[in-house]
Amino acid sequence: MITITITDDILTVDGHAKGTNDGFPPTKTETEACAAITALTQGLLYSIINVTNNDISGSYEIKHGHMTLKHIDRYDEKGRLLINAFIVSVRFVEDGYPVQIKVIDKR
């Protein structure tokens, strides 16, 4: 399962759409869910870097199956708009893939 958690100052995306290592390849549904969240997550990160004036160097981590953005409470208006658009988008994907994706909003 992919879990997206947002608090006042941190956004994390963790996990994979395929929750087990049962020896079988991911299903079409698992692949679709993973691709959607991966595209949205990478789009968010690169948009913050290239479209806003927020200096996020040292305050993000991205690796296979994980992304963390820290200090999002300090983002400018464009950065906050991108974060909010990301949450709206991942909630939409969660509606279509409730077994693979969980959004937890603690704000």
Side-chain angles (χ1 to χ4, degrees):
M1 174 173 274
I2 300 170
T3 305
I4 298 120
T5 306
I6 184 164
T7 67
D8 288 334
D9 63 339
I10 297 175
L11 171 70
T12 60
V13 179
D14 276 308
H16 297 280
K18 185 166 179 62
T20 63
N21 282 330
D22 57 11
F24 295 102
T27 66
K28 180 181 177 191
T29 300
E30 292 165 339
T31 301
E32 291 169 350
C34 185
I37 297 302
T38 298
L40 290 169
T41 301
Q42 290 180 355
L44 171 65
L45 179 63
Y46 299 127
S47 293
I48 289 170
I49 291 169
N50 291 295
V51 176
T52 75
N53 292 318
N54 298 287
D55 179 9
I56 64 169
S57 57
S59 65
Y60 74 92
E61 177 182 33
I62 189 165
K63 58 185 177 183
H64 186 71
H66 173 80
M67 184 203 63
T68 299
L69 287 173
K70 299 177 184 174
H71 313 300
I72 61 174
D73 55 329
R74 300 180 194 166
Y75 285 8
D76 63 16
E77 186 176 350
K78 284 182 185 176
R80 288 190 307 272
L81 179 62
L82 288 169
I83 293 285
N84 288 331
F86 173 79
I87 295 299
V88 168
S89 298
V90 295
R91 283 192 181 281
F92 178 74
V93 177
E94 177 189 33
D95 289 344
Y97 300 93
V99 173
Q100 290 81 19
I101 300 165
K102 175 73 175 161
V103 178
I104 302 167
D105 193 340
K106 297 181 177 181
R107 296 179 288 175

